[in-house]
Amino acid sequence: MPATYTELLDAAISHLEALKSQGTKHVAVSTETLRQLLQPPPKDPHSNPRNRANGPASQSVGDPFPFSQPVAPQSRSERDEGGRERAGVGASPPNTNPLPVPEPIRIPQSEIGNPEKSAAFAALRERVSVCVKCAHLASSRKNVVFGVGNIDAQLMFVGEAPGADEDAQGEPFVGRAGELLTKIIQAMGLQRGDVYIANILKCRPDTPGQASGNRKPTPDEMATCIPFLHEQIDLIRPRVLVALGGTAIEGLLGKTAGVMKMRGQWQTYRGTPLMPTFHPAYLLRNQAMTEKRKVWEDMLAVMEKLEIPISPKQRNYFRSSGA
Ligand code: URA
């Protein structure tokens, strides 16, 4: 196929994926466009055939380190949980797109658009947003950081607690560790809007007397806040959970064995498979390829569990580095 055709196809798919992450479920296509789409794509004798199933379009071919490149800033649409609750959802955009509408994208979703679930989620968000159970955190926070993503997601990531960036923006994992998490998600062939991301704590742990810095949540803070996370998980009902780092493992499983021992070994959270892995902040501190590779292997196991197709390129990330 000619390069322009492939580029247009990539652009159209990206556009449709963005629409989907905003909650759009249908796009209008005229009969004439459909007729044209049934024609075979033009042939290009000079270019190599390209198999889109061989990996996420966003990665350059041959990049063996899928989460070592900068991440594009997230759009507002990626930030809104259950995007379909937003204005314009369900409306068909004008038919300006001459290319095929692909089958539903990526992980199959269940219960999409269940209004009771959306309402329960909104009510939970409302309760969390006014929580003052930890008075010291309620008074120091700028924002409650409830969670972000698709409330019908089959995959949910759980971290520790908001940092300064998350507190300022009211969204989990938007700082440096968040950028790395986004890259990991993208390397899996997904977008942030396909998964759900939340933390054990919804407020930033305060650091009185310090202008900056983070601290680990206390056991009391965790015990106070975790019921909200349990409710989120109960509503979302993901097929797989990923616990990012020791605090998430401890909060969800009550196990203090430590992430070094537990990572890579499937656990069960109230019947749901849970993969413990390193926190992205750990990968920022420890740049060793061996550690990135461990996280990637954990993500491959998650993809297998979710039956997400794994391309040879994804399978072989890191292999060529000798890490
Ligand atoms: N680290 C976390 O554990 N959660 C965030 O939201 C950001 C950084």
Side-chain angles (χ1 to χ4, degrees):
M1 277 184 270
T4 42
Y5 182 92
T6 321
E7 279 161 22
L8 275 172
L9 189 59
D10 281 347
I13 290 170
S14 300
H15 177 66
L16 290 165
E17 287 175 348
L19 287 176
K20 181 171 184 268
S21 75
Q22 290 164 25
T24 301
K25 298 200 188 71
H26 302 98
V27 294
V29 181
S30 72
T31 317
E32 172 55 19
T33 306
L34 272 178
R35 194 190 60 73
Q36 288 173 9
L37 292 173
L38 289 173
Q39 306 303 312
K43 289 207 168 58
D44 177 0
H46 306 298
S47 68
N48 289 328
R50 218 178 125 192
N51 183 356
R52 285 195 53 79
N54 271 355
S58 58
Q59 278 148 30
S60 58
V61 175
D63 172 9
F65 310 123
F67 33 98
S68 55
Q69 305 298 320
V71 180
Q74 294 131 30
S75 65
R76 189 67 232 168
S77 64
E78 283 177 295
R79 296 184 189 169
D80 289 347
E81 115 218 334
R84 68 198 167 287
E85 295 165 17
R86 290 154 19 91
V89 168
S92 298
N95 177 26
T96 53
N97 192 338
L99 293 167
V101 178
E103 285 300 300
I105 299 157
R106 302 189 178 111
I107 321 175
Q109 305 288 297
S110 58
E111 296 181 14
I112 288 178
N114 178 338
E116 283 168 24
K117 178 173 172 178
S118 296
F121 218 80
L124 174 61
R125 176 190 270 279
E126 190 56 38
R127 274 193 287 130
V128 175
S129 71
V130 294
C131 176
V132 289
K133 286 182 189 160
C134 303
H136 58 298
L137 302 187
S139 63
S140 62
R141 75 187 175 212
K142 292 195 179 87
N143 283 294
V144 170
V145 181
F146 178 67
V148 72
N150 183 348
I151 65 168
D152 295 311
Q154 301 210 7
L155 175 57
M156 179 165 173
F157 290 86
V158 177
E160 179 177 297
D165 293 315
E166 290 76 20
D167 182 44
Q169 296 184 43
E171 176 173 333
F173 283 99
V174 291
R176 281 186 67 224
E179 286 182 6
L180 185 49
L181 177 62
T182 304
K183 281 191 256 184
I184 293 169
I185 291 167
Q186 290 172 343
M188 297 168 81
L190 304 171
Q191 302 293 329
R192 272 172 76 101
D194 294 326
V195 303
Y196 199 86
I197 307 172
N199 282 310
I200 298 286
L201 235 61
K202 309 299 187 217
C203 292
R204 182 181 184 210
D206 61 345
T207 49
Q210 280 176 241
S212 60
N214 293 315
R215 70 165 170 82
K216 189 173 149 34
T218 66
D220 269 0
E221 289 165 346
M222 286 170 66
T224 305
C225 206
I226 200 126
F228 291 139
L229 180 63
H230 293 319
E231 284 191 61
Q232 281 174 301
I233 298 172
D234 287 349
L235 283 168
I236 295 170
R237 292 204 281 133
R239 276 176 61 203
V240 170
L241 283 156
V242 173
L244 300 164
T247 303
I249 296 171
E250 194 181 326
L252 287 171
L253 301 176
K255 292 185 182 170
T256 53
V259 64
M260 291 295 169
K261 280 214 176 112
M262 290 181 69
R263 73 135 281 278
Q265 294 169 35
W266 283 109
Q267 307 288 319
T268 306
Y269 163 88
R270 300 203 291 182
T272 301
L274 180 150
M275 174 56 76
T277 196
F278 292 140
H279 194 288
Y282 168 76
L283 295 183
L284 292 174
R285 288 194 304 274
N286 184 341
Q287 295 279 339
M289 213 50 82
T290 49
E291 304 309 273
K292 286 186 188 172
R293 179 175 174 163
K294 285 175 191 161
V295 171
W296 184 239
E297 277 169 2
D298 299 344
M299 295 308 102
L300 288 177
V302 166
M303 289 169 74
E304 276 166 8
K305 184 74 83 183
L306 288 169
E307 295 159 284
I308 297 174
I310 300 175
S311 69
K313 185 179 150 197
Q314 285 171 312
R315 180 77 64 195
N316 292 324
Y317 284 149
F318 295 102
R319 291 236 165 110
S320 54
S321 71

